[in-house]
């Protein structure tokens, strides 16, 4: 059992370092950002990031999960190549044309999201960044499918390091402010698009098979409303803070959220390694017990990290930020525990993956989003940033609880609730 967990943890650490290690390295830039950027600039960055995340959800069409669901159904390389080719055809035929819409309506989008139509160019840069991310998803997905975690991490770290260097140069060297940060992300994605997408297009040699495209598209589409609901659950509080207060309030809140997002390193890393682990061990006679034990280990790790963040948040803010950002410390314990709940929801989502009933996940995330959105209307006008933090916490709690109940109805797992409660 422990050997399996070590194997899962090994892939998780490598994926996490490659995919979200930049969030850890990015903390080195907090002293730079808080000295060169006003809270309002930091708020603009957060709002553009909010926009790019929801655009990626829409343009990705659920293919990050769909590819792996069908990939492991084939034992031959020919069948797996067809799965990769079908996923790429979905990107070319459906996702890429969607990118033209934000370019055509960049000024109204800037007014809606940033509150200033003069910042239309930020919308264009953000859209171009998403386009590159969608194209880059495919070569990185192929590496994951082949269990090439070290190769995945190497390329991801190189891409993230380039973005880091460009941000330093544009913000500190050329004093480009929030524009420099957003532009650095785009340039890094663009460079690696040229370097890596060649390997992706080689998969088109497998040909065009409409049935494969249709099956993968139908499986992936329910993940789009899941992604949109996740966006509502995780990010709309920034828009409410901008609407009721200011972009400066968004900036302080986003910095506090960023400290909480250290847990995202673990959550996202497990999201990248967990599906492969589930499907690879599905035929094991003790699979349900194995999944329950892995969930215990995962929760223990998450709570240990959360405790450190909750205790040392004020000291970290004093070391890394300027006084105008210190109020963000109060947000960290609440926001980071909300992300623990988010991670547990993903671990509980076994039944939906095995049964192909992705609507189960849609239902749980949608409920969490409705709870969060309702509380945003009620709590943010009264309590500002803390209202946003508690809305997020309660939304993720609703999502996790619903995911657990619905998933157990499809695929029973003997979770040790007493041990989890004790932790």
């Amino acid at each position: 059992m422990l050997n399996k967990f070590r194997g899962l943890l090994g892939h998780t650490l490598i994926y996490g370092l490659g995919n979200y290690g930049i969030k850890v390295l990015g903390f080195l830039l907090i002293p730079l950002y808080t000295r060169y950027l006003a809270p309002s600039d930091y708020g603009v960055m957060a709002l553009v990031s909010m926009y790019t995340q929801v655009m990626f959800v829409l343009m990705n069409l659920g293919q990050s999960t769909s590819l792996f669901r069908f990939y492991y159904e084939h034992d031959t390389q020919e069948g797996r190549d067809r799965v990769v080719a079908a996923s790429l055809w979905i990107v070319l035929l459906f996702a890429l044309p969607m990118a033209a819409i934000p370019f055509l309506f960049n000024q109204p989008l800037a007014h809606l999201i940033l509150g200033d139509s003069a910042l239309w160019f930020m919308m264009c840069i953000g859209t171009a960044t998403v386009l590159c991310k969608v194209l880059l998803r495919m070569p990185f997905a192929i590496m994951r499918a082949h269990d090439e975690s070290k190769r995945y991490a190497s390329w991801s770290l190189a891409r993230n390091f380039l973005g880091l260097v460009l941000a330093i140069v544009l913000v500190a060297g050329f004093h480009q402010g929030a524009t420099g940060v957003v532009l650095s992300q785009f340039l890094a994605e663009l460079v690696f698009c040229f370097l890596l997408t060649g390997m992706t297009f080689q998969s088109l040699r497998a040909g065009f098979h409409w049935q494969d495209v249709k099956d993968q598209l139908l499986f992936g589409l329910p993940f789009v409303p899941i992604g949109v609901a996740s966006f509502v659950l995780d990010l709309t509080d920034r828009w409410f803070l901008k609407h009721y207060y200011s972009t400066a309030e968004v900036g302080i809140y986003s910095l506090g959220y960023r400290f909480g997002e250290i847990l995202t390193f673990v959550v996202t890393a497990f999201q990248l390694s967990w599906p492969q682990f589930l499907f690879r061990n599905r035929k094991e006679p003790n699979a349900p017990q194995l999944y329950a034990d892995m969930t215990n280990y995962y929760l223990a790790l998450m709570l240990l990290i959360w405790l450190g963040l909750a205790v040392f948040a004020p000291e970290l803010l004093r070391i890394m930020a300027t006084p105008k950002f210190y109020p963000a410390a109060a947000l960290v314990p609440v926001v980071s525990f909300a992300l623990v709940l988010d991670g547990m929801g993903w671990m509980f989502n076994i039944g939906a993956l095995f049964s192909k009933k992705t609507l189960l996940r849609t239902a749980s995330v949608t409920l969490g989003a409705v709870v969060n959105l309702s509380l945003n209307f009620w709590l943010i006008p009264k309590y500002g940033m803390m209202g946003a933090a508690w809305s997020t916490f309660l939304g993720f709690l609703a999502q996790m609880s619903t995911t657990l109940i619905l998933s157990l109805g499809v695929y029973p797992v003997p979770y040790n609730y007493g041990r989890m409660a004790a932790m």
Side-chain angles (χ1 to χ4, degrees):
M1 187 72 70
L2 284 176
N3 288 335
K4 286 186 178 291
F5 180 71
R6 291 191 192 101
L8 174 62
L9 185 61
H11 282 296
T12 297
L13 290 173
I14 294 171
Y15 282 131
L17 182 64
N19 201 64
Y20 267 79
I22 192 61
K23 285 190 177 291
V24 178
L25 295 175
F27 275 84
L28 299 176
L29 290 180
I30 288 178
L32 175 75
Y33 287 163
T34 56
R35 283 159 179 80
Y36 281 89
L37 303 178
S40 58
D41 293 321
Y42 210 94
V44 169
M45 285 169 45
L47 291 167
V48 173
S49 176
M50 177 190 75
Y51 163 75
T52 58
Q53 289 185 54
V54 72
M55 280 302 300
F56 181 80
V57 168
L58 295 174
M59 293 173 60
N60 190 40
L61 295 170
Q63 292 309 296
S64 294
T65 303
S66 179
L67 185 144
F68 292 104
R69 181 61 184 87
F70 289 89
Y71 189 89
Y72 287 102
E73 284 190 348
H74 297 275
D75 295 323
T76 65
Q77 191 59 46
E78 179 184 359
R80 292 181 171 183
D81 288 342
R82 284 180 54 171
V83 171
V84 175
S87 188
L88 180 57
W89 279 116
I90 290 171
V91 171
L92 296 175
L93 296 176
F94 300 98
L96 296 188
M98 294 173 60
I101 299 174
F103 281 112
L104 294 174
F105 298 96
N106 53 72
Q107 289 191 0
L109 275 172
H111 179 72
L112 175 65
I113 297 172
L114 304 179
D116 187 355
S117 58
L119 295 175
W120 59 269
F121 58 92
M122 298 287 269
M123 296 292 97
C124 292
I125 297 172
T127 303
T129 303
V130 174
L131 187 58
C132 292
K133 284 180 178 292
V134 170
L135 289 172
L136 271 176
R137 178 189 64 79
M138 290 301 302
F140 282 110
I142 294 171
M143 295 178 202
R144 287 173 58 199
H146 293 164
D147 273 337
E148 297 174 337
S149 55
K150 292 181 180 179
R151 187 182 176 204
Y152 176 99
S154 298
W155 280 109
S156 296
L157 280 173
R159 177 182 61 172
N160 293 328
F161 181 74
L162 177 60
L164 195 72
V165 172
L166 289 171
I168 294 173
V169 171
L170 291 173
V171 174
F174 291 92
H175 303 281
Q176 292 300 304
T179 303
V181 178
V182 176
L183 186 60
S184 67
Q185 295 169 355
F186 164 65
L187 292 175
E189 298 291 333
L190 182 64
V191 167
F192 279 83
C193 259
F194 284 113
L195 293 176
L196 289 177
T197 51
M199 66 178 288
T200 302
F201 285 95
Q202 290 178 6
S203 65
L204 293 179
R205 296 173 183 172
F208 179 84
H209 303 275
W210 170 245
Q211 189 61 45
D212 293 338
V213 171
K214 179 182 175 182
D215 290 343
Q216 289 175 227
L217 185 62
L218 290 177
F219 181 85
L221 281 176
F223 286 96
V224 175
I226 291 175
V228 173
S230 295
F231 158 76
V232 171
L233 180 56
D234 198 26
L235 296 170
T236 51
D237 46 14
R238 277 75 159 176
W239 188 88
F240 278 91
L241 286 170
K242 188 265 297 181
H243 179 73
Y244 286 108
Y245 295 91
S246 64
T247 52
E249 191 88 353
V250 177
I252 296 171
Y253 178 78
S254 298
L255 184 65
Y257 209 100
R258 183 156 194 183
F259 276 87
E261 277 184 338
I262 290 179
L263 278 161
T264 306
F265 174 85
V266 183
V267 172
T268 307
F270 266 93
Q271 287 177 355
L272 293 172
S273 57
W274 186 238
Q276 296 94 300
F277 182 86
L278 287 178
F279 290 114
R280 190 180 299 113
N281 292 282
R282 185 180 182 183
K283 296 180 181 178
E284 294 284 336
N286 64 334
Q289 186 62 52
L290 175 64
Y291 300 150
D293 290 340
M294 294 303 106
T295 303
N296 283 338
Y297 294 138
Y298 174 79
L299 178 60
L301 176 62
M302 293 283 282
L303 289 176
L304 181 64
I305 299 171
W306 170 79
L307 182 62
L309 286 173
V311 171
F312 294 109
E315 286 72 21
L316 288 172
L317 261 296
R318 292 190 186 97
I319 292 171
M320 304 190 71
T322 54
K324 56 193 173 187
F325 287 95
Y326 288 172
L331 304 166
V332 176
V334 181
V335 168
S336 56
F337 202 89
L339 295 173
V340 172
L341 300 177
D342 180 33
M344 290 303 296
W346 182 262
M347 296 294 285
F348 290 147
N349 190 43
I350 299 174
L353 290 175
F354 282 171
S355 65
K356 296 185 181 180
K357 295 180 179 179
T358 51
L359 289 176
L360 296 178
R361 180 65 174 168
T362 304
S364 61
V365 179
T366 301
L367 177 63
V370 169
V371 170
N372 177 257
L373 194 61
S374 302
L375 291 172
N376 281 340
F377 276 107
W378 179 40
L379 295 179
I380 290 179
K382 293 182 179 180
Y383 304 107
M385 293 184 293
M386 287 307 301
W390 281 107
S391 298
T392 301
F393 172 85
L394 293 171
F396 277 124
L397 178 62
Q399 173 193 281
M400 182 200 71
S401 303
T402 309
T403 299
L404 175 62
I405 294 169
L406 294 178
S407 187
L408 287 176
V410 177
Y411 186 87
V413 176
Y415 296 113
N416 191 325
Y417 301 106
R419 179 173 295 178
M420 287 192 284
M423 285 191 288

